[in-house]
Structure formats: structure tokens, C-alpha cells
Amino acid sequence: MKSSIERQKKRWMTQSYFLGSMLAAVGGFLDAYTYILRGGVFANAQTGNIVLLGFNLAQWNLGQVLYDLVPIGAFVVGIIASEFIRRRFQRYRILHWRQLVVAAECLVLVGVAFIPLGDGDVLANIIISFLCAMQVEAFQTVDGQVVSTIMCTGNLRSATESIYRYRVRGNKEDRTKGLKYYGIVLFFAAGALVGTLLSNALGEKAVLFCCILLGAGFVSFYFRDKPLREKVEQVEK
């Protein structure tokens, strides 16, 4: 009985596919937003910034090196912040600690919407890098599958690998996994599409759309898992 409850707990703490899709759309949106409006950078993943760091080090352009280190540092701090929230609120019974991460991301993005374009771009990119780090650290699985909600390379690889295995072995579970991975990639692309359109139309305020997606994910996370959580809590009593 205890092992069954433990499995239920793990399932409760696993993110739903709907929530993962919303977060992937937010990831794509923020990449488009920062690229179009905040200086032509991708604030989600840090690979490009690390490449630029190496390039500027080779050129001995120390001023630019410091500039490249800022979003990388913000990403590192975001990982630490996410882990702090997990450890501090892991036993919090009213809301799951991952919901607190979503709520924090939503509230901070409201502030980003009021940072003016131009002089405020560096600050906005730092904040978004920080938030993306919190998101990627807190949400590493979707329905039991390892997924990234702020970049597509790993998801695309896993999707193609799963579909290939399905074609070879005929295992429907592989097909389901592959289609789910491709779905996350499509949501990321859709987020980038909407982010491009809204950024051109609304300017810095476009980022508020992400708050709608995060709000939907926040509510769905609690609604989906509430019956299971209540069952776990009753047995624990």
C-alpha cells in the first residue's frame, strides 16, 4: 500500500502535458520577444552566449566578455533560486513548489513589460534569463518524459529517436513518446510565432501574453492533481 502511495506522490509531482505545453509556448515566445525587441539575443538558452564569450575572449574584448557573462550569471542564479524554492517549499501542502515557480515567473514578467525598450534591454534580458533558468530547473519532465521547455534540440532528438524505434520495434509506447516530444516542439514554435506577431504589434507589453499562458498552466496543474493529492493526504492521515 505504501509503495502504491509513493508512486501516486511521484505522479502528482510530475508535470502534466498541458502545463508542459504552456511552458514550451512561453519559452518560444520569450526567445522571439528578446530577439525582436531586446537587442537581438536569445535569452533562454545560454549556448550562444557561451560561444560569444569564447569569441570575445579570443579577441581580448574584455568589455564584451563582461557583457556576455551577465546573462550566463543570471541563468546560474536562476537555477539556484529554483532549487531554493524546491527545498524551502517542498512540503508546502496548499500549493506545489513548482506552482510557486510558475507564479513567480508570471509576476516578474509583469514587471518586465514595463521596462522601456532600449536602455532597459540589458536588465530585461537578465531577468528573462533568470526566469528561464528557474523554469528549466523546476520542469524537467512532462508526463514522465525528460523534456526541456526553453529549447528544442533535445526534444527534437528524443522525438525522432522514439519514432524511429517505433518503426523498428512496433512499440506503440515509443510512438506516443515521439508524438508528445514533437508536440512540445510545435508548441515552442507556436509560441515563437505568436511572440513575433505580438512583439511587432504591442512592443514591450507583448510579454504580458506569457502571463496568460502561465496562469492557465498554474490552474491546470492544481486542478489536474487535486483529487490525487487529496487521496494521498487521506491515506497519510
Side-chain angles (χ1 to χ4, degrees), residues 30-49:
L30 291 177
D31 256 353
Y33 175 80
T34 56
Y35 185 81
I36 293 170
L37 297 177
R38 299 295 189 177
V41 299
F42 295 113
N44 281 2
Q46 297 304 310
T47 304
N49 291 326

Side-chain angles (χ1 to χ4, degrees), residues 18-28 102 105 135 139 149-150 214:
F18 178 81
L19 175 59
S21 300
M22 294 298 98
L23 293 175
V26 169
V102 172
E105 185 174 356
Q135 179 175 310
F139 299 94
T149 59
I150 67 167
L214 291 169

